[in-house]
């Protein structure tokens, strides 16, 4: 039934979704009928050499999938033909042989051994099906060899194969057992690297097909460990594995009873269904959704003198703090930075992403306009927290007719994106404008080209992108007790949103291990311009011992001298504690407009002098130990 269910035509469902940041908006989901989906996923970096705008983007992953499907199908058929059809010469020898010697494979030997204890054949068959390596695919032929009818063999094998899977999924949650099984889990991770990622439905379909194909390395045991590594809900994993086990039973029964014709027919059905899903277009199986809001680095442009502390966001979306495991984009081990992708897509061959949504996210009293842009990269533009994307605005420069240069924007989401699928990334861009004192109005001729292009984009618009760029803002995750001090002005909050989501919001290996303290300082003009305040407050409430938050509101607060409270004034209030943390190995980050750094450094130099420290030597030590991270624009 799993392979003969009719295909249901795609339908579109529009759902009203409400969020604190954006209010009510429409989420469009594409729903599909009954069909298996075996989207491949490879651990590590993925590459996509995009063509210019207007030309189709061909993913290497799709090409590899096509080759893989054809290869697996061909090898499976050849294996069946060679295993079922004995060579004529050997057949003649068998007929001519005076004595017939029965050569038993391991499953038959085990069955013969269990029979010596007087156990019923169905019990023996269930026990053999429960064993790793043999499983159902090896037990079905044994059952028929034992003389049992297929109507009894298939249910007994299915029940036996599923019997150990239920406790296994629960036992894998035990930390001690996970350590003991680490070598096995590592092998299972490699074997199950083909399991689909993204929505739960995709993972369910991919896992069912993975378990159902009777090939070496697949099966219920490996599938269960793969489901655990993907963080699939237990009920979903069990139903998917059960479907795969039944499918494998049907295929093995066809092979055993009808020989190569039945096996080829059964495999052809499975290959037709799963192969079609392998090659299905990404944009047919992904839902188009407006998700949570991010931030990013805005382009350098002439702005008002107060803009060094202006950021924007009216209300941040509510983070979800108990979600499925996010571990499919991790290095091995997760803190290893040797595989960080850098400059995968260059200026001459930029990647072309598509805008999912663009939303104004500033309050009414915030100066300027800031927009949150979610961009779909189909999983072909990997990046890490702290990196930047380059954006090439369309058109040419007026002065020489050459294409516009690349503008860098810090990525404001974790590597998994706001939708947690690994297919999107987010930017938060402040629209750069210039106030002309003579005109007493904004001069449109001097507005920021790239920031205005991004803020004006609509869903479906294409964005030419390069990168990812930079390693200076990466988190050193090897020591989970590392303290992070994050200082931001304006949209410089972008990389820290990725940090906080990775450490506290998402269910990542880094989050599970983290025992340090992340301390965020944010400088904005007023409370109406606070970035992601709802997100920060929820994290602070749930992790009071690991997350601290301080704001510098220049137009609402005063420093100790009675002047405006700028970011350096707020940091100075905790200077003793910050210096102590840095002496003990903490890492400090600065991101925002470059105008923030002179004030920061003057403050730190004054504090160092009060403590009897040589500021230059002290700073030199931090840089040598890679504790000092600066990205300003």
């Amino acid at each position: 039934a799993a392979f003969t269910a009719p295909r249901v035509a795609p339908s579109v469902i529009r759902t009203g979704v409400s969020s604190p940041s954006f209010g009510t908006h429409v989420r469009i989901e594409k729903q599909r009928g009954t069909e298996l989906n075996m989207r491949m996923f490879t651990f590590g970096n993925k590459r996509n050499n995009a063509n210019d705008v207007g030309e189709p983007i061909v993913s290497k992953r799709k090409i590899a999938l096509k080759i893989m499907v054809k290869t697996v199908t061909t090898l499976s058929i050849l294996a069946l033909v060679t295993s079922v059809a004995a060579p004529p010469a050997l057949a003649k020898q068998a007929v001519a042989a005076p004595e017939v010697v029965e050569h038993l494979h391991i499953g038959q030997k085990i069955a013969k051994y269990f029979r010596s204890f007087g156990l019923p054949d169905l019990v023996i068959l269930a026990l053999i099906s429960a064993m790793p390596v043999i499983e159902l695919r090896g037990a079905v032929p044994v059952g028929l060899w034992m003389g049992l009818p297929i109507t009894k063999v298939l249910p007994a094998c299915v029940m036996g194969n599923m019997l150990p899977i239920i406790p296994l999924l629960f036992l894998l949650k035990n930390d001690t057992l996970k350590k003991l099984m680490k070598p096995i889990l590592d092998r299972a991770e490699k074997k199950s690297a083909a399991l689909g990622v993204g929505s739960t439905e995709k993972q369910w379909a991919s896992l069912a097909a993975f378990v159902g194909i009777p090939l070496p390395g697949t099966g219920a045991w490996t599938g269960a460990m793969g489901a655990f590594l993907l963080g699939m809900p237990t009920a979903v994993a069990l139903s998917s594995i059960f479907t795969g086990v039944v499918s494998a039973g049907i295929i093995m029964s066809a092979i055993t009873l009808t020989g190569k014709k039945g096996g080829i027919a059964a495999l052809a059905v499975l290959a037709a269904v799963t192969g079609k899903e392998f090659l299905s277009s990404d944009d047919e199986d992904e839902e188009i959704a407006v998700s949570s809001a991010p931030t990013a680095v805005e382009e350098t442009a002439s702005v008002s003198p107060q803009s060094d502390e202006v950021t924007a966001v009216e209300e941040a979306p509510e983070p979800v703090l108990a979600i499925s495991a996010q571990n499919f984009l991790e290095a091995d081990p997760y803190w290893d930075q040797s595989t960080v992708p850098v400059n995968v897509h260059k200026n001459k061959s930029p990647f072309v992403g598509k805008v999912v949504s663009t939303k104004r996210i500033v309050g009414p009293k915030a100066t300027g306009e800031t927009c949150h842009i979610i961009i779909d990269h189909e999983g072909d533009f990997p990046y890490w927290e702290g990196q930047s994307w380059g954006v090439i605005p369309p058109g040419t420069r007026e002065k020489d007719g050459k294409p516009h240069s690349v503008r860098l924007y810090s990525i404001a989401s974790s590597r998994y994106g706001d939708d947690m699928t690994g297919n999107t990334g987010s930017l938060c861009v402040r629209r750069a404008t210039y106030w002309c004192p003579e005109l007493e109005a904004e001069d449109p001729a001097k507005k920021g080209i790239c920031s205005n292009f991004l803020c004006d984009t609509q869903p479906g618009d294409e964005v030419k992108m390069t990168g990812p760029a930079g390693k200076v803002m990466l988190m050193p995750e090897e020591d989970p007790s590392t303290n992070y001090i994050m200082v931001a002005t304006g949209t410089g909050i972008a990389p820290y949103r990725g940090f906080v989501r990775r450490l506290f919001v998402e269910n990542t290996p880094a989050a599970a291990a983290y025992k340090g303290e992340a301390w965020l300082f944010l400088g904005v003009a007023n409370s109406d311009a606070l970035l992601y305040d709802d997100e920060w407050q929820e994290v602070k409430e749930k992790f009071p011992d690991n997350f601290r938050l301080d704001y510098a509101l220049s137009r609402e607060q005063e420093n100790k001298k009675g002047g405006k409270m700028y970011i350096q004034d707020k940091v100075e209030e905790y200077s003793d504690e910050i210096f102590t943390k840095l002496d003990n190995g903490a890492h400090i980050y600065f991101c925002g407009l470059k105008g923030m750094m002179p004030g920061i450094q003057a403050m730190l130099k004054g504090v160092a002098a009060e403590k009897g420290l040589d500021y230059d030597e002290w700073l030199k030590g931090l840089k040598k130990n890679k504790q000092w991270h600066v990205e300003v624009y």
Side-chain angles (χ1 to χ4, degrees), residues 198 233 266 318 378 479:
E318 275 188 52
E378 299 182 338
D479 182 359

Side-chain angles (χ1 to χ4, degrees), residues 129 135-137 140 154-163 165 207-213 219-221 238-252:
S129 301
E135 299 195 46
L136 173 142
R137 62 203 63 201
V140 169
L154 187 57
C157 290
V158 170
M159 182 181 67
N161 204 177
M162 288 298 300
L163 195 61
I165 303 305
L207 179 60
F210 175 82
V211 174
I213 299 176
W221 280 80
L238 284 173
S239 66
S240 176
I241 294 170
F242 177 77
T243 302
V245 167
V246 172
S247 301
I250 293 172
I251 293 172
M252 289 306 304

Side-chain angles (χ1 to χ4, degrees), residues 572-591:
E572 186 178 11
E573 290 182 1
Y574 302 93
S575 58
D576 289 342
E577 190 174 356
I578 289 173
F579 268 68
T580 299
K581 285 181 176 293
L582 291 172
D583 289 342
N584 292 329
H587 285 244
I588 190 165
Y589 295 80
F590 302 93
C591 190

Side-chain angles (χ1 to χ4, degrees), residues 12 30 33 55 64 104 126 142-143 165 233 242 265 280 290 318 372 444 466 488 548 551 567 612:
V12 176
K30 291 190 178 180
E55 297 182 8
L104 305 179
V142 172
I165 303 305
F242 177 77
S280 62
V290 178
E318 275 188 52
H372 169 57
T466 66
R548 292 175 66 176
Y551 291 141
I567 189 67

Side-chain angles (χ1 to χ4, degrees), residues 340-518:
V340 175
V342 178
N343 294 328
V344 177
H345 302 284
K346 299 179 172 56
N347 298 10
K348 293 183 179 180
S349 57
F351 179 87
V352 180
K354 286 192 176 181
V355 173
V356 175
S357 65
T358 300
K359 194 75 175 178
R360 176 188 168 96
I361 54 172
V362 296
K365 296 181 181 179
T367 57
E369 179 184 21
T370 301
C371 294
H372 169 57
I373 301 104
I374 300 176
I375 300 175
D376 183 5
H377 57 76
E378 299 182 338
D380 293 322
F381 202 155
Y383 60 86
W384 280 33
E385 298 77 16
Q387 291 190 293
S388 300
W389 272 342
V391 176
I392 304 175
T396 57
R397 299 184 299 197
E398 291 184 5
K399 63 179 181 179
D400 55 15
K402 293 182 179 180
H404 291 295
S405 58
V406 174
R407 274 74 162 177
L408 290 177
Y409 294 85
S410 290
I411 302 170
S413 53
S414 78
R415 67 192 70 179
Y416 295 99
D418 287 352
D419 60 0
M420 309 290 186
T421 66
N423 292 326
T424 66
S426 303
L427 300 178
C428 179
V429 182
R430 184 176 184 272
R431 188 188 294 272
T433 58
Y434 175 75
W435 178 267
C436 179
E438 295 180 0
L439 297 175
E440 295 185 352
E442 291 182 358
D443 186 350
K446 297 181 180 180
K447 67 181 182 180
I449 293 172
C450 195
S451 65
N452 280 269
F453 158 68
L454 289 171
C455 290
D456 290 335
T457 54
Q458 300 294 323
D461 286 352
E462 294 184 338
V463 179
K464 296 171 74 172
M465 303 159 61
T466 66
K471 289 175 126 182
V472 70
M473 296 292 282
L474 298 178
M475 289 190 294
E477 297 178 324
E478 183 171 2
D479 182 359
S481 63
T482 299
N483 293 324
Y484 301 112
I485 303 168
M486 303 166 286
V487 182
T489 61
T491 51
I493 195 70
Y496 309 143
R497 183 172 183 265
F499 290 5
V500 173
R501 289 179 69 83
R502 177 165 176 79
L503 295 176
F504 302 111
V505 178
E506 298 171 350
N507 190 2
T508 61
Y514 190 59
K515 301 296 185 292
E517 180 184 78

